[in-house]
């Protein structure tokens, strides 16, 4: 079955960077784009960006441009999301998600990682 | 960016009730509208995509309708396991989520 397994919770100081991994299994890694979505406690999810596992191209939400970097390792079917210059407002649960964009699909996120809590505090 | 507004933000209902949640987009998203259910401490789960298509494994008491800017999610007969927060999401132009509707036990 499809699985997205993320790395564990992180505590960071303001100004630091965080790098979260998302190990995929149960499907052909290069077939589906992977996205990152974050959720501040008590708020709706927020889209951060996407990566093509096959060629590595990325697209980021304007809000995170310059601070976020998404990469992938095809040998381990893992994607990574790095966020720099962290501030308290970046405290959130970060999810990697798989998207369906085939015929009949509408860009829905069909599988989600379990989430990684990042706490930014001095 | 396209803004998504859900109403109500919360509601109280009893088991067996019919529940309707609405979602409005700030501009047309055609039928690129998806619905998710989230229980405390868990990732969101896809319920409906393309405004009205039921994701595999999701009970038929869930249904969606709408197109353009106005959408609804209906639970025909609320079950105990349906108490959760529901989010709409547009995928027409990048991706944005609504603020959520928390369904609580009356």
């Amino acid at each position: 079955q499809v699985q997205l397994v993320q790395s564990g919770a992180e505590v960071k100081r303001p100004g630091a960077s965080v790098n979260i991994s998302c190990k995929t299994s149960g499907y052909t890694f290069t077939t589906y784009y992977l996205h990152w979505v974050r959720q501040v406690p008590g708020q709706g999810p927020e889209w951060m960006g996407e990566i093509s596992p096959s060629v590595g191209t990325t697209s980021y939400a304007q809000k995170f441009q310059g601070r976020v970097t998404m990469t992938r390792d095809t040998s381990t079917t893992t994607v990574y999301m790095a966020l720099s210059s962290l501030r308290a407002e970046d405290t959130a649960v970060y999810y990697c998600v798989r998207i369906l964009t085939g015929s009949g699909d509408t860009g829905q996120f069909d599988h989600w990682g379990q989430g990684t809590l990042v706490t930014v505090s001095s | 960016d396209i803004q998504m507004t859900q109403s109500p933000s919360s509601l109280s209902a009893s088991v067996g009730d019919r529940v309707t949640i609405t979602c409005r987009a700030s501009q047309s998203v055609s039928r690129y509208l998806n619905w998710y259910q989230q229980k405390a401490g868990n990732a969101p789960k896809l319920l409906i995509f393309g405004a009205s298509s039921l994701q595999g494994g999701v009970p038929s008491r869930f249904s969606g309708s709408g197109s353009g800017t106005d959408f609804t999610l209906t639970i025909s007969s609320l079950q105990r396991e349906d108490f959760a927060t529901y989010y709409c999401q547009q995928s027409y132009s990048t991706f944005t989520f609504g603020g959520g509707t928390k369904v609580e036990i009356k």
Side-chain angles (χ1 to χ4, degrees):
Chain A
Q1 74 280 23
V2 175
Q3 287 192 306
L4 284 67
V5 179
Q6 299 180 220
S7 49
E10 304 263 12
V11 179
K12 296 292 182 181
R13 301 289 190 201
S17 298
V18 69
N19 194 13
I20 303 170
S21 66
C22 173
K23 165 70 176 171
T24 73
S25 61
Y27 72 99
T28 302
F29 178 66
T30 52
T31 300
Y32 302 94
Y33 274 59
L34 286 162
H35 293 237
W36 289 88
V37 170
R38 79 176 188 180
Q39 187 171 29
V40 173
Q43 297 184 18
E46 177 179 32
W47 181 73
M48 299 181 68
E50 65 180 20
I51 183 166
S52 162
S54 62
V55 296
T57 52
T58 56
S59 177
Y60 304 137
Q62 189 166 10
K63 175 176 180 176
F64 300 102
Q65 289 272 4
R67 285 209 299 145
V68 69
T69 304
M70 297 177 189
T71 57
R72 98 290 190 212
D73 183 339
T74 56
S75 67
T76 60
T77 66
T78 301
V79 294
Y80 301 88
M81 190 280 295
L83 187 64
S84 63
S85 302
L86 290 169
R87 34 207 186 232
E89 310 87 84
D90 293 318
T91 294
V93 177
Y94 291 76
Y95 295 100
C96 62
V97 294
R98 191 182 80 163
I99 190 171
L100 296 183
T101 55
S103 175
D105 292 318
T106 56
Q108 67 270 31
F109 296 139
D110 74 324
H111 282 88
W112 295 61
Q114 83 277 19
T116 297
L117 174 62
V118 175
T119 303
V120 183
S121 175
S122 55
Chain B
D1 288 2
I2 298 175
Q3 308 303 315
M4 307 301 293
T5 303
Q6 287 182 236
S7 60
S9 56
S10 66
L11 64 90
S12 295
S14 301
V15 172
D17 285 353
R18 181 182 182 89
V19 169
T20 298
I21 297 168
T22 65
C23 177
R24 174 163 289 176
S26 60
Q27 65 188 76
S28 176
V29 298
S30 185
R31 293 182 64 83
Y32 287 81
L33 191 286
N34 310 307
W35 289 96
Y36 300 84
Q37 175 194 66
Q38 186 176 32
K39 297 182 179 179
N42 291 321
K45 170 190 171 184
L46 177 66
L47 294 178
I48 287 171
F49 64 96
S52 61
S53 296
L54 202 63
Q55 174 70 353
V58 174
S60 60
R61 62 181 179 272
F62 291 93
S63 64
S65 65
S67 66
T69 60
D70 294 304
F71 302 88
T72 61
L73 172 70
T74 300
I75 309 172
S76 61
S77 178
L78 197 66
Q79 300 301 300
R80 185 158 297 274
E81 59 268 29
D82 301 336
F83 291 96
T85 300
Y86 294 84
Y87 294 98
C88 62
Q89 173 228 355
Q90 67 82 18
S91 50
Y92 182 80
S93 174
T94 64
F95 307 88
T96 47
F97 291 81
T101 297
K102 186 173 185 179
V103 177
E104 299 176 300
I105 300 174
K106 182 183 286 184

